[in-house]
Amino acid sequence: MLAGATGDLGGRIVKHLRQRGAIVRALVRAGSAAPAVASLREQGATIIEVDFNDEAQLTKACSGATCVVSAVSGLREVIVEMQTRLLQAAVAAGVPRFIPSDYCIDYTKLPVGSNRNLDLRREFSERLDKAPIRATSILNGMFSDLLTGQAPVILFKFKRVVYWGNADQALDFTTTEDTAAFTAAAALDATTPRFLRVAGEVATIRGLQVVASAVTGEQFRLFRVGGLGAFGTLIKVTRALMPTSDDVFPPWQGMQYLHNMFSGLPKLEPLDNARYPDIRWTPVREVLANREQVPE
C-alpha cells in the first residue's frame, strides 16, 4: 500500500511495484480529481479514497497489506502528524513493515536545527522506532535530476559549477526514477534492515565540472562562493528576511540541504546499491546529457 502515490516519486514507485508484479493499493484524498489518479488506475493500482485525518479509515485501508510505503511531501502536519496516523493505522491493521517518506541524505548524522525538513523526518523516525513494526528508510542523497536546473550548482548559462567549502567533498546523487525502483524492490523484500543507502553516483564538485564540460562541449569553471561558515550565515540571514510561509521548499531550505551535503556529514556509507542487481544506476553524465535545453 502506498501513500503519496499522486506525487512524482510516488507515481514512479507504483510503476515499479507493478512491474515487479505487486498488487498495489494507492491511498488518495477523498474526492481527488488529480490527473495522476487516472494514471494510477491505468497502471493497475487499486485506488482507495480516504480521509487522512481519520485513523479508522486508514486502518481499514491498511488491512491485509504486507508493507505500507509513504512518499508524502509536506511539513509537520504531513511528515510528522499524518505519517503518525498512517503508522498507527498500519500497526492496528497488523501490517508487518513500514517505509517512511525519507528519500534524502543521512539525517541521522546531522545536528538538530541544521535542516528544518530533515528535522521533521528525524522526529517521525523516533516515533517509528518506538512502534511495533519493522521499518526501513531509503536514503539516496540528492535527486540528481535537480542538477539540470533546480539546484543552483551547475549554472549552464554561465558555464560555472558553484560550491561552498571543499570542491573535493564526495556527494551522493540518485535519480528519482532509480530511487523509486530501489524503493519498490525494498518494499517487496521482507529482509530489509532499518536503513538502506544508495547513490546512483558519488561525485565531487570537480567531477561535476568535468562532466558538465564533456556533455556540453564547453569549458565549465569552478566558482567557490566561500566557506561553509559564511554559507551558514547567509542561510540564517535569508531565512530571517523571508516572510513566514507554508512552502515546503523555500530558497533557504534548499540552501540548508546543500550546506549539509558540502559539509560531508551526511555522506551515505556503506552503500547498498548491489542489493538488487537488476537495478541499473543512472550516472550524472546521462542526467545532464538528457536535460531539456532552455534558451540562453
Side-chain angles (χ1 to χ4, degrees):
M1 193 187 76
L2 197 144
T6 56
D8 182 31
L9 176 61
R12 294 171 191 254
I13 294 173
V14 169
K15 178 185 70 176
H16 284 283
L17 283 169
R18 291 293 298 143
Q19 287 177 352
R20 290 178 177 273
I23 298 173
V24 181
R25 302 180 208 165
L27 297 186
V28 302
R29 295 188 183 280
S32 176
V37 175
S39 175
L40 293 170
R41 285 198 176 95
E42 290 174 1
Q43 292 181 59
T46 299
I47 305 300
I48 302 179
E49 295 189 355
V50 296
D51 177 354
F52 282 93
N53 293 312
D54 189 328
E55 195 172 315
Q57 283 189 28
L58 291 173
T59 300
K60 182 178 180 181
C62 288
S63 179
T66 57
C67 181
V68 169
V69 180
S70 176
V72 298
S73 177
L75 298 180
R76 172 171 296 279
E77 171 52 35
V78 176
I79 297 300
V80 179
E81 304 305 335
M82 191 271 273
Q83 278 200 123
T84 295
R85 291 191 291 273
L86 184 62
L87 170 62
Q88 292 171 338
V91 171
V95 179
R97 301 175 60 238
F98 192 102
I99 296 178
S101 186
D102 284 346
Y103 317 112
C104 56
I105 51 183
D106 194 343
Y107 58 83
T108 68
K109 298 179 180 179
L110 294 172
V112 174
S114 68
N115 189 306
R116 179 200 62 181
N117 289 11
L118 299 188
D119 282 347
L120 296 176
R121 282 162 172 75
R122 186 203 316 272
E123 184 177 345
F124 177 70
S125 178
E126 291 171 354
R127 298 186 182 189
L128 181 55
D129 286 338
K130 295 176 183 177
I133 194 170
R134 291 187 57 206
T136 296
S137 289
I138 310 296
L139 304 179
N140 60 276
M142 175 188 282
F143 289 123
S144 47
D145 317 64
L146 299 178
L147 290 173
T148 61
Q150 287 179 270
V153 177
I154 303 177
L155 305 184
F156 290 93
K157 181 177 181 180
F158 301 103
K159 308 298 182 291
R160 295 290 186 273
V161 179
V162 179
Y163 71 101
W164 300 76
N166 183 1
D168 296 310
Q169 172 60 52
L171 310 169
D172 298 308
F173 298 98
T174 311
T175 64
T176 308
E177 188 72 17
D178 291 352
T179 302
F182 189 86
T183 301
L188 300 176
D189 177 0
T191 67
T192 53
R194 178 64 182 84
F195 288 95
L196 285 171
R197 302 170 177 86
V198 295
E201 181 170 342
V202 179
T204 64
I205 288 295
R206 291 190 198 280
L208 294 181
Q209 175 197 18
V210 171
V211 171
S213 299
V215 166
T216 63
E218 300 182 75
Q219 182 58 46
F220 276 65
R221 299 184 183 279
L222 298 182
F223 178 46
R224 184 180 188 271
V225 185
L228 291 178
F231 194 14
T233 299
L234 178 61
I235 292 170
K236 292 178 181 178
V237 171
T238 303
R239 186 172 185 177
L241 293 177
M242 292 193 68
T244 302
S245 73
D246 294 330
D247 289 347
V248 179
F249 300 108
W252 54 264
Q253 168 60 37
M255 293 165 70
Q256 285 186 331
Y257 206 92
L258 285 175
H259 185 282
N260 293 153
M261 292 185 69
F262 289 149
S263 76
L265 292 176
K267 177 71 185 72
L268 301 175
E269 53 188 2
L271 293 178
D272 298 293
N273 287 37
R275 187 178 182 90
Y276 308 114
D278 61 309
I279 295 178
R280 172 191 174 273
W281 299 99
T282 307
V284 169
R285 177 185 293 268
E286 190 171 315
V287 173
L288 299 187
N290 293 332
R291 74 184 181 94
E292 293 184 10
Q293 300 295 319
V294 294
E296 298 186 359

